[in-house]
Amino acid sequence: MTGTPLVRDQLDLVPDAILAGRAADGDTAAFEALARRYGPHMRACARRLTGSYADADDVVQEALVQAWKQLESLREPAAVKGWLLRLAGSRSIDYLRRRRNHTSLSALEESGAGLEPAATAPGPESSAVASSGTEALKAALSRLPEEQRRCWVLKEFNGQSYEQIAQTLNISPASVRGRLARARITLVREMEGWQ
């Protein structure tokens, strides 16, 4: 471990690159600060993909254990947030693959996976329209092939780049582009009545 240990309050002010570097050197307090800082983002990512808060918590725990073990391999310490989110996405995909062996995969159908209607005017008519639109989108997403749905969720909900999605799913960026294009065409066609 290098340098003097930092107190928790001080860690909240330390840039990601320094925390990642210290954590890679074995500073558990620095790693805990990164986990506190980005754990909620990782949980949101995992929740969108798995469809469950409990499953998301398990996924985040797995991702953080993996991050701790692999932190030395992080090439750009300042990019630790994106790296942690990719690990959470990757662990979520692995979780879904494991779950698919036991039950049919339909995380978006089961819980909406973050497709709650936007908070606009709280009137009953707008709530009904928003709810109906959300249900139509959930149904359209559930009919997409699994590979297209995964790409779409990682791009649209998690804001990942083609390269990040390719890395998460272990496919080429060209495959990501193709799957996203097909998913968008299908969703546009199925959602025409909601434009």
Side-chain angles (χ1 to χ4, degrees):
M1 185 152 67
T2 61
T4 54
L6 296 172
V7 230
R8 183 176 176 163
D9 292 339
Q10 292 174 322
L11 290 175
D12 293 335
L13 305 173
V14 175
D16 289 350
I18 294 172
L19 287 176
R22 289 182 69 106
D25 288 339
D27 187 338
T28 56
F31 185 76
E32 288 171 5
L34 287 171
R36 277 193 312 275
R37 189 176 289 175
Y38 296 118
H41 300 285
M42 295 170 70
R43 186 175 190 241
C45 168
R47 163 67 174 87
R48 288 181 189 122
L49 289 168
T50 64
S52 160
Y53 288 110
D55 294 340
D57 289 341
D58 291 343
V59 164
V60 169
Q61 185 173 353
E62 286 179 26
L64 287 172
V65 168
Q66 181 182 2
W68 177 251
K69 291 177 181 177
Q70 296 178 349
L71 203 52
E72 291 177 358
S73 68
L74 180 62
R75 284 180 255 146
E76 294 183 41
V80 70
K81 178 182 179 183
W83 182 69
L84 289 171
L85 289 173
R86 280 191 301 281
L87 287 178
S90 179
R91 295 282 60 86
S92 296
I93 298 299
D94 291 345
Y95 173 82
L96 291 173
R97 286 182 184 136
R98 287 191 307 264
R99 186 170 78 180
R100 183 177 53 187
N101 292 334
H102 301 288
T103 61
S104 80
L105 174 63
S106 185
L108 292 172
E109 290 176 39
E110 293 171 8
S111 66
L115 296 176
E116 292 83 18
T120 56
E125 183 178 330
S126 63
S127 293
V129 169
S131 177
S132 181
T134 299
E135 290 304 313
L137 178 59
K138 283 171 39 179
L141 284 171
S142 71
R143 289 188 293 270
L144 285 176
E146 182 179 335
E147 309 83 40
Q148 291 178 22
R149 182 173 54 241
R150 286 179 180 170
C151 286
W152 194 87
V153 167
L154 290 171
K155 178 69 175 161
E156 300 303 327
F157 288 147
N158 295 357
Q160 290 189 5
S161 69
Y162 292 156
E163 291 74 22
Q164 291 169 328
I165 296 168
Q167 186 177 11
T168 299
L169 298 178
N170 199 26
I171 58 176
S172 71
S175 294
V176 171
R177 276 190 278 286
R179 290 176 183 181
L180 280 172
R182 288 188 296 279
R184 288 177 181 139
I185 289 168
T186 301
L187 290 173
V188 165
R189 188 176 15 194
E190 292 199 21
M191 297 298 293
E192 280 179 344
W194 290 98
Q195 292 181 5

